[in-house]
Amino acid sequence: MPLQGGSPSNSYITYYWKPPEILRADKPFLTTTLFESRNMIEAGTTGLRTWTAAFFLAQYLLRNPDLVLQKRVLELGSGMGFTGIIIGTIQVLSKAQGAAPPKLWLTDVDETVLSGCRRNINLACNLSSLHGNIQIARIDWFDALNETSASSLSFAIREQMDPELILGSDIVFDPSLIQPLLSTLKLAIRDSSRTALLALTMRNETTMSMFLSTARSMGFIVEELAPTGTMTAEVLFLPNAMEDLERVKLLQFSMAFVNN
């Protein structure tokens, strides 16, 4: 609850959700708990709270868990870790006996956000705490624009992280981030077997149009997935945090490669 005469305080929030049948969970509902801000902006960043697009993306992954089962995943702009906890839970419940889950990389640029993400991932009440292979790392997309730093970033993404799937939610809200983000994505999608899924909230049509046109000019193939109507038919998270879903688009990014 907001403090009278002041900003809302940080608080623990627990979401209940129904796991997909393929996971054979022993409970009808699972939970995800986060300690996060209720402010839209705090400490100069928007990353200290969970936004609608993250719930949208998590719902899509719960409906299509094969996308992350035994897959190395990189999330850009992970914020406080909601989507990462969902992915980590899916991988924990589905892991083969004796086999470690694949690496799951959760990244952001702000150290305070990364600290909060790490804390939430490791909360004992979250099954992600049992994953054992979740890595929290700092990535600055602007490094992809500089020749020297781009080399280091490329090595980190391609050699250390080596993601098969790249994810992001609500990370296109400022025109100045478009080129850095797409340049980072281009480093990660290094062959035709790798794709990115971005859940983006339409706040400014000009910004979204600029993002899509820039992506296509850089060689990305962009496809919209999951029309909003099919995603709003069922509420998977309680309390219901999925407001304004009609403004969220789920886009798949890939690139065409010519074999020599």
Side-chain angles (χ1 to χ4, degrees):
M1 295 290 292
L3 298 176
Q4 188 170 3
S7 299
S9 61
N10 291 350
S11 58
Y12 286 98
I13 303 173
T14 297
Y15 297 96
Y16 290 78
W17 50 276
K18 185 176 181 180
E21 292 183 4
I22 192 175
L23 298 183
R24 299 180 180 178
D26 58 2
K27 299 178 181 179
F29 287 92
L30 299 179
T31 62
T32 294
T33 298
L34 301 103
F35 183 76
E36 64 178 359
S37 172
R38 305 315 297 153
N39 289 323
M40 296 182 70
I41 299 177
E42 185 170 314
T45 177
T46 60
L48 294 173
R49 61 166 291 173
T50 303
W51 297 85
T52 298
F55 296 105
F56 189 101
L57 178 59
Q59 178 170 314
Y60 186 82
L61 295 176
L62 286 172
R63 289 184 169 181
N64 302 276
D66 55 300
L67 290 173
V68 296
L69 293 179
Q70 295 305 312
K71 296 285 183 65
R72 297 183 303 277
V73 177
L74 164 63
E75 185 182 18
L76 301 175
S78 298
M80 298 307 282
F82 178 82
T83 306
I85 294 172
I86 297 294
I87 297 169
T89 300
I90 291 173
Q91 293 183 339
V92 165
L93 291 175
S94 66
K95 69 178 181 179
Q97 188 169 355
K103 280 191 176 181
L104 168 58
W105 289 87
L106 306 181
T107 67
D108 216 295
V109 70
D110 187 282
E111 293 293 349
T112 301
V113 173
L114 290 170
S115 177
C117 179
R118 183 179 294 106
R119 176 178 54 203
N120 287 331
I121 289 292
N122 291 320
L123 286 175
C125 55
N126 291 327
L127 282 177
S128 57
S129 64
L130 303 177
H131 190 287
N133 224 354
I134 298 178
Q135 309 293 321
I136 311 293
R138 182 180 184 274
I139 284 184
D140 186 341
W141 304 338
F142 281 87
D143 286 346
L145 302 181
N146 177 278
E147 185 175 349
T148 301
S149 57
S151 177
S152 299
L153 180 59
S154 176
F155 179 82
I157 292 177
R158 294 184 172 186
E159 304 301 326
Q160 296 178 326
M161 301 177 182
D162 190 26
E164 298 166 272
L165 177 67
I166 302 94
L167 300 173
S169 59
D170 225 345
I171 53 178
V172 179
F173 53 86
D174 185 336
S176 68
L177 297 177
I178 290 175
Q179 191 71 42
L181 170 58
L182 290 172
S183 297
T184 302
L185 275 182
K186 199 165 186 176
L187 291 177
I189 305 177
R190 57 175 173 168
D191 59 50
S192 58
S193 68
R194 301 166 200 263
T195 59
L197 295 179
L198 303 184
L200 307 177
T201 301
M202 175 78 77
R203 292 191 174 86
N204 184 294
E205 291 187 9
T206 301
T207 300
M208 184 66 74
S209 176
M210 182 187 305
F211 175 69
L212 294 176
S213 62
T214 303
R216 294 186 173 106
S217 72
M218 293 176 64
F220 286 98
I221 300 169
V222 185
E223 177 185 359
E224 184 172 357
L225 305 178
T228 302
T230 65
M231 294 293 285
T232 58
E234 179 183 3
V235 174
L236 294 189
F237 299 105
L238 297 174
N240 181 17
M242 301 177 70
E243 301 174 353
D244 298 327
L245 278 183
E246 68 278 359
R247 295 197 296 157
V248 180
K249 292 181 178 292
L250 183 62
L251 304 176
Q252 176 177 277
F253 289 74
S254 59
M255 300 195 76
F257 293 85
V258 178
N259 296 323
N260 294 325

